[in-house]
Amino acid sequence: MLRHSRYNNIVWKILDAVTCVLLVPFEHVASLTISAFIFTSFDKPFLIHKLLRYFVVCPVMVMLSLLLLPVGFLGYVLWMLINALADVQPFIYVCPEEHDTNHIENDPRYIQNKITVCSANTCLGTEHICRFNSQRSSYWRVHEIGRRLLLQDSSLNKGNLVPPVSRENVILTKLPDVDVFLLQEIFSRYMGHVLHSYLKDKYPYCIYDVGYHTLLGNHGGLGSGLFVASKFPILDAKFLPYSTVNGYGNFCNLGVLVVKFDLGLVMQNGLEQPGVGYIANTHTQAYQGPEKIIAKQLQDAENLLDKFIDSTKKKEEQIVFTIIGGDFNCDNMSPGDETTQNLSLWDRYLDPCREGPGEDKPWAIGTEHRQRMMHHPKIHNSQSFREILIDDVQRRHFIIDAD
């Protein structure tokens, strides 16, 4: 049975709230302090701005961080103790009060004809992480992302991969009417809570703040950043960290979040049976180094989903779909990603952009930005960005490996 809280005891819940009061202010101020030293491509390059940043803003922020450090350290120690001693559910689960995980037998809904799933990396960490990735303020972006995810057009819910497929009909400037969101890099509980507040009316079922926080696991660092928001009731969920990480991955709880959804009733041999769907949301490690661990992590995702289905599927249930989504941090074309291009995953699951190992469909294109062009006005306008992606010449100025 899923819990709404990470804890099964009111005492742990109270102590968790205390740690937030002690630790969160220091985390935010410390992150803003580091951010003051990081200039990005969208910062104004004028000397006066740099002088104000270095000699006014930075000293003030450093002083505030030092003042909050003792309280923050106390909160951190208490947070580590709670996670070491309590029975922790590694995520927060949100659903309407009238629903629980046993309602499937009594729900008269019938499964809908089309289901749309959207996966996106939001880069919503603490402020200094966002600035390191050349992003604008995370405090502004979390609200903007929440607003934009809801700008949907139901007329787009039609097959845009029906032959003959072309870039004109593949690249959209708006989202269709989405049923399930799989988001990555929402590393803080605060960001997850804010984003859920935007989505909750349309997507009442949500899982966020995903990860285990232990000294041996992520050294008390970041969680997984995984986030799921759904129109469909969530029947079960499980999170498992990757078996292999390296480098910065030791300070993030990167892993796989698997979720079972109640899709309604489906007719099978003249009988009504409950239809369910399974989705794995994952985020592999970027900058893997010579160890080639992304292939191992994708195998983890595939294996965990298999085990989760085996352990949670009831005999009377009909599986409507299984999906593995997220940020894989690899592609099907680059020689450096050769170890990930022949996995069994691609034989079992359909990648619509993939022709075969090392070969994509002729209409498929990459979207990895050239960092210096990330904040160009043409990129920020969805229509002009679409025109860039379609045009072979323009795209080379904005996108890496555009050929």
Side-chain angles (χ1 to χ4, degrees), residues 159-166 169 363:
N160 63 344
L161 295 180
V162 178
V165 181
S166 69
N169 61 14
W363 46 261

Side-chain angles (χ1 to χ4, degrees), residues 172-373:
L172 307 177
T173 58
K174 290 183 180 179
L175 287 173
D177 189 11
V178 176
D179 295 301
V180 181
F181 277 111
L182 311 180
L183 306 181
Q184 302 87 43
E185 289 200 13
I186 303 177
F187 285 116
S188 75
R189 185 186 301 186
Y190 166 78
M191 294 296 178
H193 174 76
V194 172
L195 198 56
H196 167 255
S197 69
Y198 275 89
L199 301 177
K200 63 182 180 181
D201 290 339
K202 190 170 183 177
Y203 303 93
Y205 306 93
C206 183
I207 291 176
Y208 67 95
D209 191 28
V210 180
Y212 292 100
H213 299 276
T214 63
L215 289 177
L216 295 179
N218 65 343
H219 303 289
L222 298 174
S224 71
L226 300 175
F227 179 107
V228 169
S230 169
K231 293 179 181 178
F232 305 118
I234 294 175
L235 297 174
D236 206 344
K238 184 176 182 179
F239 171 74
L240 189 71
Y242 291 133
S243 60
T244 306
V245 295
N246 66 10
Y248 81 90
N250 290 295
F251 299 91
C252 302
N253 208 209
L254 299 178
V256 189
L257 173 65
V258 286
V259 184
K260 178 183 179 183
F261 298 93
D262 168 20
L263 304 179
L265 297 174
V266 59
M267 294 298 295
Q268 187 77 12
N269 298 324
L271 299 175
E272 291 182 347
Q273 292 182 292
V276 296
Y278 286 91
I279 292 182
N281 184 15
T282 189
H283 184 189
T284 66
Q285 183 177 330
Y287 311 113
Q288 61 179 339
E291 297 181 46
K292 308 298 182 185
I293 63 173
I294 291 180
K296 298 177 183 177
Q297 293 175 347
L298 288 176
Q299 288 173 326
D300 279 351
E302 181 183 7
N303 293 336
L304 176 60
L305 182 55
D306 287 342
K307 292 177 181 178
F308 182 68
I309 293 173
D310 290 341
S311 64
T312 61
K313 182 188 177 299
K314 298 178 181 178
K315 184 177 180 180
E316 68 274 13
E317 293 173 340
Q318 292 294 318
I319 298 178
V320 178
F321 62 75
T322 57
I323 295 173
I324 298 180
D327 184 348
F328 294 171
N329 273 312
C330 62
D331 64 61
N332 187 46
M333 302 283 284
S334 300
D337 289 328
E338 188 175 355
T339 56
T340 65
Q341 294 166 5
N342 291 281
L343 299 176
S344 62
L345 178 72
W346 312 120
D347 297 323
R348 297 182 59 197
Y349 292 85
L350 172 65
D351 177 357
C353 296
R354 185 177 186 268
E355 188 69 51
E359 182 183 2
D360 277 352
K361 301 285 187 182
W363 46 261
I365 60 172
T367 54
E368 185 176 355
H369 292 52
R370 296 189 185 278
Q371 290 241 338
R372 292 184 177 274
M373 304 298 287

Side-chain angles (χ1 to χ4, degrees), residues 13 17 52 69 116 127 132 146 151 164 167 187 192 211 274 277 304 309 376 396 403:
K13 295 178 184 178
L52 287 172
L69 177 58
T116 303
E127 187 69 8
F132 179 78
L151 295 178
R167 290 177 188 165
F187 285 116
L304 176 60
I309 293 173
H376 192 283
R396 285 169 169 78
D403 56 354

